[in-house]
């Protein structure tokens, strides 16, 4: 089956964004709201089990700040915190402070030159994707991706397959002609649930996770060629 489309996760896959990107942005939002909350690296590592910034804050409140979790306007407060967090993250990413992972820019360019269709399936917000990719890939970066599934376009976030199904429907391609790129077990399960062969490039936060079912597990996308991708789509070689 010929490869026609590549669908990329963003956080952890295109760039290592969590510890020094999303985490400080959450902390800045907490400070700004006058909350004595601070997510250190160890706690954030645990909280990454919950995908989605609003969902992560709700989970944290339920487990560590029960009085806050009982507030009648909890949903509005979390939504406001998330707006502030997004502003902080996008500001940081737009400076170019978060580099793409090795091999990412080259593979994207080769895939475009080779006529492959590109898409994104991410849990994070659309403005965060633009803020991250534009300094790294140039002002036309977002137009490289024909479909971008981001944030709340689906209700059920990864590991649910919904975001990948949403992207595949809009690409009008069968899963059998596409590859997904992920860095975490949650992302892998989302992609596998949509029937996609998946390449996993674990990042610092996910290295110890279980990637059974992946078509390939690689340190990075450095050196990966379009013929490697064809081979992995057809299930040959690990
Ligand atoms: C990324 C996430 C996101 C980010 C925060 O997962 O889990 O929640 O940490 O993003 P994936 P928002 O790599 O699977 O896309 O705060 O914008 O939700
Ligand atoms: Mg990820």
């Amino acid at each position: 089956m010929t490869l026609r489309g590549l669908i990329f996760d963003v956080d952890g896959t295109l760039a290592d964004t969590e510890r020094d990107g999303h985490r400080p942005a959450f902390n800045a939002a907490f400070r700004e709201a006058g909350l004595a909350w601070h997510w250190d690296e160890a706690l954030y590592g645990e909280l990454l089990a919950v995908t989605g910034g609003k969902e992560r804050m709700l989970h944290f409140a339920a487990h560590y700040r029960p009085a806050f979790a009982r507030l009648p306007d909890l949903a509005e407060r979390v939504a406001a915190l998330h707006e502030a967090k997004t502003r902080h993250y996008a500001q940081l990413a737009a400076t170019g402070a978060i580099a793409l992972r090795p091999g990412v820019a080259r593979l994207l360019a080769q895939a475009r030159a080779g006529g492959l269709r590109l898409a994104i399936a991410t849990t994070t917000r659309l403005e965060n994707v633009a803020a991250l990719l534009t300094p790294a890939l140039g002002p036309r970066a977002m137009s490289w991706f024909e479909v971008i599934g981001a944030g709340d376009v689906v209700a059920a976030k990864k590991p649910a397959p919904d975001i990948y199904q949403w992207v595949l429907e809009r690409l009008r391609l069968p899963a059998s002609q596409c590859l997904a790129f992920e860095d975490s077990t949650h992302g892998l399960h989302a992609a596998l649930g949509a029937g996609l062969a998946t390449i996993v490039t674990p990042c610092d936060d996910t290295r110890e996770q279980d990637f059974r079912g992946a078509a390939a597990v690689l340190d990075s996308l450095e050196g990966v060629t379009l013929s490697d991708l064809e081979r992995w789509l057809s299930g040959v070689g690990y």
Side-chain angles (χ1 to χ4, degrees):
M1 183 60 72
T2 314
L3 179 62
R4 299 197 44 209
L6 306 182
I7 310 175
F8 292 88
D9 169 49
V10 174
D11 295 301
T13 301
L14 296 184
D16 237 320
T17 53
E18 293 290 2
R19 261 185 238 193
D20 302 321
H22 289 292
R23 186 182 68 86
F26 281 109
N27 286 330
F30 301 153
R31 271 197 309 278
E32 208 171 79
L35 292 168
W37 299 4
H38 179 82
W39 290 356
D40 62 21
E41 288 191 11
L43 174 59
Y44 195 67
E46 267 176 49
L47 295 174
L48 281 174
V50 180
T51 55
K54 291 191 290 283
E55 293 81 354
R56 192 168 297 144
M57 287 188 274
L58 286 168
H59 171 90
F60 172 78
H63 287 81
Y64 296 96
R65 296 291 186 278
F68 188 92
R70 283 193 297 272
L71 291 172
D73 58 347
L74 173 67
E76 290 80 0
R77 285 190 184 232
V78 165
L81 285 170
H82 197 237
E83 288 301 327
K85 177 263 165 180
T86 300
R87 176 166 41 78
H88 286 292
Y89 177 85
Q91 262 167 19
L92 174 73
T95 66
I98 309 173
L100 297 187
R101 290 187 62 186
V104 166
R106 186 201 43 81
L107 185 63
L108 290 173
Q110 277 181 5
R112 290 183 77 215
L116 292 179
R117 297 166 63 192
L118 304 182
I120 282 175
T122 179
T123 306
T124 200
R125 296 256 298 244
L126 184 63
E127 53 264 61
N128 294 344
V129 181
L132 176 74
L133 295 186
T134 305
L137 299 174
R140 305 271 308 140
M142 292 298 269
S143 71
W144 292 16
F145 299 91
E146 195 176 321
V147 176
I148 300 182
D152 293 331
V153 295
V154 294
K157 297 210 160 109
K158 299 173 187 177
D162 303 40
I163 191 70
Y164 278 103
Q165 287 161 345
W166 190 95
V167 168
L168 283 169
E169 277 164 26
R170 279 153 189 81
L171 279 175
R172 294 178 185 271
L173 285 175
S176 58
Q177 296 183 351
C178 297
L179 276 176
F181 295 80
E182 277 288 352
D183 69 298
S184 69
T185 297
H186 280 334
L188 171 64
H189 289 167
L192 292 178
L196 286 154
T198 307
I199 311 300
V200 178
T201 48
C203 66
D204 289 345
D205 294 306
T206 61
R207 221 166 293 286
E208 304 306 320
Q209 295 180 357
D210 180 354
F211 299 120
R212 263 174 293 182
V217 182
L218 313 168
D219 286 341
S220 78
L221 293 176
E222 205 159 36
V224 168
T225 64
L226 298 190
S227 19
D228 290 330
L229 300 184
E230 288 278 0
R231 199 156 46 82
W232 286 319
L233 182 71
S234 52
V236 186
Y238 188 75

